[in-house]
Amino acid sequence: DVKVTQSSRYLVKRTGEKVFLECVQDMDHENMFWYRQDPGLGLRLIYFSYDVKMKEKGDIPEGYSVSREKKERFSLILESASTNQTSMYLCASSPPAQGGSEQYFGPGTRLTVT
Amino acid sequence: GQSLEQPSEVTAVEGAIVQINCTYQTSGFYGLSWYQQHDGGAPTFLSYNALDGLEETGRFSSFLSRSDSYGYLLLQELQMKDSASYFCAVKHQGGKLIFGQGTELSVKP
């Protein structure tokens, strides 16, 4: 079974803090994605990566950056957390054969910024 | 622009059949995926349609009409455990998915 793990289920941070969200997958997938999920808005893509050291902006990249130094790990960074970044953050991975159509999600990190 | 529309809520009874529709407007369309998400859980992949027609996987089927920019997820023999949110997602050029807002399905006894 594909396993995607995220470093924390719940996180509380203060406005202005730098926040790191970590995601690790164990299936040697090339593609990895970061989404945020808010009620009534579905999942919105923040950043994605097709390979180590590669990154592409998604639909809402403002206020975020990412790092992919190793194939299995994809980190989301909030440079200076703000209250409007309070959300559920979901990481996903997919093999290149699926081209992103079948993604495997981690359990999510519920981030609260106060 | 790009947009997907699906109903926000659907209610059905156990044992019934329910259809969740999804219409989309996007450039660079490659296919339509469906995901299920239980409350507090992670989204899980259900199906993907790249070509027109019906794909069946057990009690779940998914349909796509590219000419109508329309698809649906059909759930048969509904069970209480099917109560969840269901998302359609367009696979866009470049490999990324654009998700709809989700349909909350409530299955009543």
Side-chain angles (χ1 to χ4, degrees):
Chain A
D1 279 352
V2 176
K3 193 161 186 184
V4 180
T5 57
Q6 296 183 228
S7 48
S8 307
R9 285 304 305 269
Y10 300 93
L11 208 53
V12 179
K13 295 292 182 180
R14 292 190 182 275
T15 301
E17 279 192 83
K18 191 168 186 176
V19 181
F20 293 86
L21 302 182
E22 305 285 341
C23 175
V24 177
Q25 50 94 3
D26 66 357
M27 282 301 292
D28 204 35
H29 287 170
E30 276 77 5
N31 306 327
M32 295 189 75
F33 309 83
W34 273 107
Y35 297 89
R36 63 177 285 175
Q37 184 174 23
D38 301 287
L41 296 178
L43 283 75
R44 293 180 291 167
L45 182 65
I46 305 171
Y47 267 97
F48 58 109
S49 168
Y50 290 131
D51 205 346
V52 175
K53 297 193 185 294
M54 290 183 64
K55 60 184 180 183
E56 297 280 345
K57 291 181 180 179
D59 300 315
I60 52 164
E62 297 78 20
Y64 304 94
S65 63
V66 290
S67 172
R68 192 156 181 211
E69 296 297 320
K70 293 185 177 182
K71 191 175 186 180
E72 67 271 17
R73 188 180 298 269
F74 193 34
S75 303
L76 180 69
I77 303 154
L78 287 68
E79 297 291 343
S80 177
S82 63
T83 54
N84 63 13
Q85 292 177 311
T86 292
S87 186
M88 171 67 85
Y89 289 88
L90 291 160
C91 175
S93 72
S94 75
Q98 304 295 340
S101 59
E102 181 176 348
Q103 296 184 10
Y104 298 86
F105 283 83
T109 295
R110 186 166 294 281
L111 173 67
T112 302
V113 182
T114 62
Chain B
Q2 300 165 69
S3 67
L4 289 88
E5 286 192 20
Q6 51 181 129
S8 58
E9 296 179 345
V10 172
T11 301
V13 295
E14 224 176 346
I17 299 172
V18 73
Q19 179 174 310
I20 299 174
N21 298 320
C22 175
T23 57
Y24 59 87
Q25 195 171 19
T26 182
S27 57
F29 176 86
Y30 279 69
L32 190 70
S33 295
W34 287 92
Y35 286 79
Q36 178 192 60
Q37 186 180 30
H38 285 100
D39 209 23
T44 55
F45 172 80
L46 292 176
S47 67
Y48 175 67
N49 295 67
L51 304 174
D52 286 1
L54 191 69
E55 296 276 347
E56 297 180 63
T57 310
R59 294 187 297 114
F60 293 4
S61 303
S62 57
F63 172 83
L64 176 65
S65 168
R66 295 174 70 117
S67 60
D68 295 322
S69 298
Y70 163 74
Y72 65 72
L73 181 70
L74 192 73
L75 296 83
Q76 302 183 73
E77 301 172 19
L78 277 175
Q79 301 175 9
M80 298 297 290
K81 67 178 181 179
D82 297 329
S83 291
S85 292
Y86 292 84
F87 295 89
C88 59
V90 164
K91 181 180 171 184
H92 196 257
Q93 65 184 56
K96 66 180 188 179
L97 289 180
I98 301 167
F99 281 81
Q101 296 178 358
T103 298
E104 187 173 346
L105 171 64
S106 297
V107 180
K108 306 293 186 188

